Amino acid sequence: MSLDAVSVGIMWDRLVAISDEIVTTLVRTSFSTIVSESYDLTVALLDADGQLMAQGTYSVPVFMGTAPATLQHMLARYPAESLRPGDVIITNDPWLGTGHMFDINVMRPVFHDGRIVAYVISITHLPDIGGLGFGAAAREIYHEGLRLPVCKLFEAGVQNDFIIELMRTNVRAPDQVIGDLMANVTATKVGEAMLTGFLVEYGLADFASLSQEIRGRSETATRARISAMPDGSYHNEIQIEGVDGALTLACHIDVAGDAMTVDFAGTDGCVRQGINVPFCYTRAMVLYSMKCLTVPELPNNGGSVVPIPVTAPAGCLLDAQPPSPTGARHMIGHFVSPLVFGALAEAVPEQIQADCGMMDLMTFQGRHRDGHDVSTIYFASGGFGALAGLDGAETTPGPSNMAVVPIEVWETLTSTTVERKYLLPDTGGAGASRGGLGQEVVIRNDSGHVMTVFCMANRTDFPPLGLMGGGNGKPREHRINDVTVDPKGHYELEPGDRITMIEAGPAMAIPPCGPAKPSSWIWRKVSSHPKAPRGIMASTANKYSQD
């Protein structure tokens, strides 16, 4: 059927609203603060052909690139014609999902008039999946926990009790883990009801025509923005913290007409520590970065990724192969955005962001003073990188967007104490536009038990880089009882011990040719967005890449 532009716009907004309602269900039914407070989640709606139609506004940006590929892996195991109403498919395989085993991917096919018309995918980071725990300490994938192949958690509405028992037996904090798993299942059920209701309300048999219109318009808009970039070949190479020394990430981008290719030849090989990045995550980070530079104002869907093929040499750090450990793949994967931005700085200098202080994740495992198990994540952040004519925000993450758990909630759930948390002056570098400030956070173990922490910090040897002559930011540091420790290590905190997170400030951007052009960047609109959920401070880039 043919749809006019007004109808497409109304129904497109409605699909985004449905996605957001599913996110709300997921947040309100989850058991862990990782989902309910930090929003480490994604909800995606895909049509019967597996094409991404819409994504929840507040979702992890990188999962917009992994969810469609995950669905294809699921359908390869369980073809569409074999699925039945009430089926729910899951996996946490790093190479089929989001790049590490700590994210559970939950898919439900949506039936209408006896046939599949869509798929709902819900993804959350679990509190635990067994093994060593969430960190960078593993030497191979088998150390990192329970790896679930594509399997049916529900078949025709009947739960597979063995999978539930298997997970309970292998994880810490099983009530939280299974509670979050079932929150994903519930969210997909809500999505199913809302999508079938949508079809009835608008008198549609399926989503095929609407999905095609949404994706076609997005592809056209993306190609137009790429066409505005100067044709050419652009290269960038950066040094980052490794295991036994610095590692090199390299990127080559060819812009030709209304398309571009991105390749990571020249990147160093994998290492025997859990910081390697499967290609699914690398590709998704590229697509997110390009979304920021092309059509950040459009809601996410599969159309905007069509003109941007991505490649990487098999076995390199950004295309890790089994059994490479990948638990802390974000420590390397988050550098894909500044790597890509740096390559295109010559082509579109006024649209490039200076380096961010990035996000810092630290896993806490142990026992609460009341006796129950603790396995959760503390999220902290450096400052947001500056743009031409626009200062960066303080302690705002980029390129991902998880939120910090409120101190009162954190202390109650972990029986640790946040002794202090304050902004660090002069950590944003110097330039015409100032980067956001970093921070210092001190957490004391008041549980009465030994508590294990897994550090996953980058930006420790190489600070955020300035742009167009701007100054560099400050590096990140972890300390235990005032002694600097390995930012990729794991440690035992005795009762009363303190761990300090000194967060990197981002670098500065200096306008290359006069004031910034607001029409070329939509980023400055975000901080007061009316849909902002409690406890989240989304970066402008992330908000518009997801919206």
Side-chain angles (χ1 to χ4, degrees):
M1 64 179 292
S2 177
L3 296 171
D4 62 86
V6 173
S7 296
V8 171
I10 292 171
M11 288 189 280
W12 191 350
D13 284 348
R14 179 69 177 279
L15 285 179
V16 174
I18 289 173
S19 303
D20 290 343
E21 186 66 26
I22 303 170
V23 169
T24 299
T25 301
L26 182 58
V27 168
R28 290 181 175 175
T29 58
S30 62
F31 279 50
S32 78
T33 58
I34 299 170
V35 180
S36 65
E37 299 289 350
S38 295
Y39 281 69
D40 195 346
L41 58 86
T42 283
V43 166
L45 306 180
L46 304 100
D47 65 19
D49 293 325
Q51 299 295 325
L52 181 64
M53 298 187 295
Q55 182 185 7
T57 302
Y58 288 92
S59 295
V60 176
V62 71
F63 294 161
M64 73 178 181
T66 62
T70 299
L71 175 61
Q72 294 307 315
H73 290 300
M74 290 176 166
L75 294 179
R77 174 66 178 86
Y78 297 105
E81 59 270 19
S82 72
L83 297 176
R84 299 292 180 266
D87 285 352
V88 176
I89 316 298
I90 66 171
T91 186
N92 71 336
D93 188 296
W95 288 272
L96 309 182
T98 68
H100 68 184
M101 292 196 294
F102 303 92
D103 294 327
I104 190 71
N105 301 261
V106 179
M107 181 274 282
R108 183 188 295 269
V110 177
F111 285 81
H112 181 64
D113 289 340
R115 63 191 182 97
I116 293 176
V117 294
Y119 300 92
V120 181
I121 291 184
S122 180
I123 307 169
T124 63
H125 187 116
L126 293 175
D128 191 67
I129 199 63
L132 292 173
F134 179 40
R139 307 292 283 178
E140 53 187 3
I141 195 69
Y142 311 111
H143 298 161
E144 294 187 328
L146 182 64
R147 181 178 170 191
L148 295 167
V150 173
C151 55
K152 284 189 178 182
L153 181 62
F154 284 81
E155 186 162 8
V158 178
Q159 178 178 291
N160 186 330
D161 292 335
F162 173 75
I163 293 178
I164 299 298
E165 183 179 358
L166 180 67
M167 293 183 69
R168 276 192 170 277
T169 305
N170 282 278
V171 302
R172 308 165 183 90
D175 289 344
Q176 287 192 49
V177 171
I178 300 304
D180 278 9
L181 175 63
M182 290 307 175
N184 282 280
V185 173
T186 300
T188 62
K189 182 65 176 176
V190 169
E192 176 186 43
M194 296 190 75
L195 287 175
T196 54
F198 177 99
L199 293 178
V200 171
E201 180 178 345
Y202 287 101
L204 301 175
D206 54 39
F207 290 97
S209 296
L210 177 58
S211 176
Q212 185 175 356
E213 285 287 341
I214 290 172
R215 291 181 290 107
R217 292 170 187 270
S218 296
E219 180 181 348
T220 298
T222 302
R223 289 188 182 279
R225 298 289 175 85
I226 295 174
S227 295
M229 297 181 182
D231 285 358
S233 294
Y234 305 96
H235 182 79
N236 191 26
E237 189 173 291
I238 61 175
Q239 298 283 296
I240 61 173
E241 300 86 354
V243 178
D244 299 316
L247 295 169
T248 297
L249 301 182
C251 174
H252 187 87
I253 301 175
D254 286 315
V255 179
D258 63 357
M260 62 171 60
T261 60
V262 182
D263 180 66
F264 292 96
T267 294
D268 281 346
C270 288
V271 296
R272 287 205 70 196
Q273 193 163 352
I275 59 175
N276 304 291
V277 189
F279 181 71
C280 58
Y281 191 88
T282 298
R283 176 178 178 271
M285 286 301 305
V286 172
L287 298 178
Y288 157 72
S289 304
M290 292 307 181
K291 185 78 159 54
C292 293
L293 295 179
T294 54
V295 286
E297 70 273 21
L298 289 184
N300 277 336
N301 63 82
S304 59
V305 309
V306 175
I308 311 170
V310 183
T311 57
C316 79
L317 197 59
L318 296 176
D319 188 4
Q321 303 294 310
S324 295
T326 66
R329 46 69 168 128
H330 67 276
M331 292 178 61
I332 302 299
H334 283 179
F335 282 100
V336 169
S337 284
L339 182 66
V340 167
F341 290 159
L344 292 175
E346 177 186 348
V348 285
E350 292 184 1
Q351 297 182 9
I352 297 299
Q353 178 189 24
D355 280 0
C356 286
M358 293 189 178
M359 196 167 59
D360 191 0
L361 282 70
M362 187 175 291
T363 299
F364 284 73
Q365 292 176 351
R367 190 168 294 275
H368 194 280
R369 66 169 67 94
D370 67 10
H372 73 256
D373 289 332
V374 172
S375 182
T376 191
I377 307 169
Y378 189 86
F379 294 92
S381 176
F384 200 62
L387 292 116
L390 182 63
D391 291 344
E394 277 71 46
T395 64
T396 301
S400 198
N401 65 335
M402 271 65 84
V404 174
V405 178
I407 290 175
E408 297 82 0
V409 175
W410 173 263
E411 292 181 338
T412 300
L413 294 179
T414 64
S415 63
T416 65
T417 300
V418 180
E419 285 193 335
R420 63 180 181 270
K421 182 179 181 182
Y422 58 87
L423 296 175
L424 294 173
D426 301 323
T427 51
S433 297
R434 181 183 65 81
L437 298 179
Q439 63 180 318
E440 180 174 317
V441 182
V442 180
I443 301 177
R444 185 178 70 239
N445 177 15
D446 286 338
S447 68
H449 306 281
V450 174
M451 186 164 280
T452 301
V453 294
F454 289 83
C455 299
M456 290 172 278
N458 50 24
R459 296 282 191 215
T460 54
D461 296 336
F462 299 92
L465 299 177
L467 183 66
M468 304 298 169
N472 294 339
K474 302 297 182 182
R476 173 176 279 135
E477 186 179 0
H478 284 176
R479 299 173 184 166
I480 295 179
N481 298 332
D482 295 324
V483 177
T484 300
V485 297
D486 180 359
K488 301 179 185 66
H490 62 289
Y491 305 93
E492 291 187 346
L493 296 183
E494 297 290 337
D497 282 353
R498 295 166 172 82
I499 189 160
T500 301
M501 308 165 78
I502 299 174
E503 300 302 323
M508 303 298 303
I510 289 183
C513 49
K517 299 177 180 178
S519 61
S520 67
W521 266 133
I522 318 289
W523 288 21
R524 61 182 68 236
K525 288 185 177 180
V526 68
S527 58
S528 60
H529 192 269
K531 293 182 182 178
R534 58 190 172 85
I536 198 164
M537 183 177 179
S539 70
T540 50
N542 290 332
K543 191 269 172 184
Y544 277 102
S545 74
Q546 304 163 105
D547 205 356

